[in-house]
Amino acid sequence: MGWAIALHGGAGDIPRDLPPELRQLRESCLRRCLDIAIDALNSHKSPLDVVELVVRELENDPHFNAGRGSVLTNNGTVEMEACIMDGSRKNCGAVSGLTTVVNAVSLARLVMEKTPHIYLAFEGAEAFAREQGVETVDSSHFITPQNIERLKQAKAANSVQVDYTQPIPIVDEPPVPNGDSQIGTVGCVAVDSAGNLAAATSTGGLVNKMVGRIGDTPLVGAGTYANKFCAVSCTGKGEEIIRATVARDVAALMEYKGLTLKEATDYVIKESTPKGTTGLIAVSATGEVVTPFNTTGMFRACATQDGKTEIAIW
């Protein structure tokens, strides 16, 4: 048994003809984050520190739907959310409705470590961030030209778009450059050689979502979960992931039915969620790694202490 790590940049209807420049930018970021994680685990950093470190890096990359790259609500604003969980003690923290916090995952960890609560949202979470002195910026920092165009396309199509939604042609409207939702939620799971587990997930949510909408990412047991058996981070259509309590179901199948990580995740992906809605990454206490999805693809990367690595989409 050794350490293992997995990370994702979102699942969805990722076209195989995705422009090379968009694909390469994301793959390069995943590769860099994987190298950071490997170095951290080899330096004996805790899984909790590792997943926070990796998700912070992904949040700072505008090519993913979290932090800097967060997609916009129907009011043209950002509302970011994140969750982090320590499997050894089942301690966890979550945040929603953030508009100025640079790294939502780090605020979620502070909720876990500095408050008697698990979940803070909207103005309460923003006030806590100011109190804790975390890095904040004007909300305009998160409103990128690409995401303005994505929102414009979604409004023109009268749709709420999940990660990697394909652009919808609008009759009598000129095409919107980069106006599709080719951008995804981020997450990381890790286990060390002692079997300690942690998970973290961060997102901007859905393009053109209603103000105040909360997805699966910050909901413990839905989009994020870790215990002594496994750590799980989900991506996809949040409402379906919430209905199926995907992350907790994986852990429950291992704990109560004695399934392996692969058996548990295969069952949940194939039987618990509709096709085209869900992807996840997971590691077990014994160092197993799985990255199943029922969507067209999922940006993902993983590595184990014995030298195995993978960076893949489809």
Side-chain angles (χ1 to χ4, degrees), residues 113-187:
E113 295 179 340
K114 302 292 186 181
T115 81
H117 309 305
I118 289 174
Y119 198 158
L120 293 179
F122 297 93
E123 180 50 40
E126 288 282 336
F128 178 66
R130 295 191 293 270
E131 175 189 307
Q132 293 297 310
V134 303
E135 185 180 2
T136 59
V137 293
D138 187 87
S139 60
S140 61
H141 167 81
F142 303 102
I143 301 175
T144 65
Q146 293 84 358
N147 280 329
I148 291 172
E149 294 301 330
R150 290 185 181 100
L151 178 61
K152 181 179 177 181
Q153 198 277 335
K155 283 182 174 292
N158 193 29
S159 69
V160 175
Q161 297 180 341
V162 298
D163 292 348
Y164 301 106
T165 298
Q166 292 296 291
I168 301 169
I170 308 299
V171 177
D172 298 327
E173 287 283 340
V176 179
N178 296 317
D180 59 303
S181 186
Q182 293 303 306
I183 190 166
T185 293
V186 304

Side-chain angles (χ1 to χ4, degrees), residues 73-91:
T73 69
N74 58 4
N75 274 1
T77 56
V78 292
E79 290 183 354
M80 300 170 285
E81 50 195 26
C83 183
I84 192 167
M85 189 162 186
D86 178 359
S88 60
R89 293 175 293 173
K90 290 199 280 191
N91 286 343

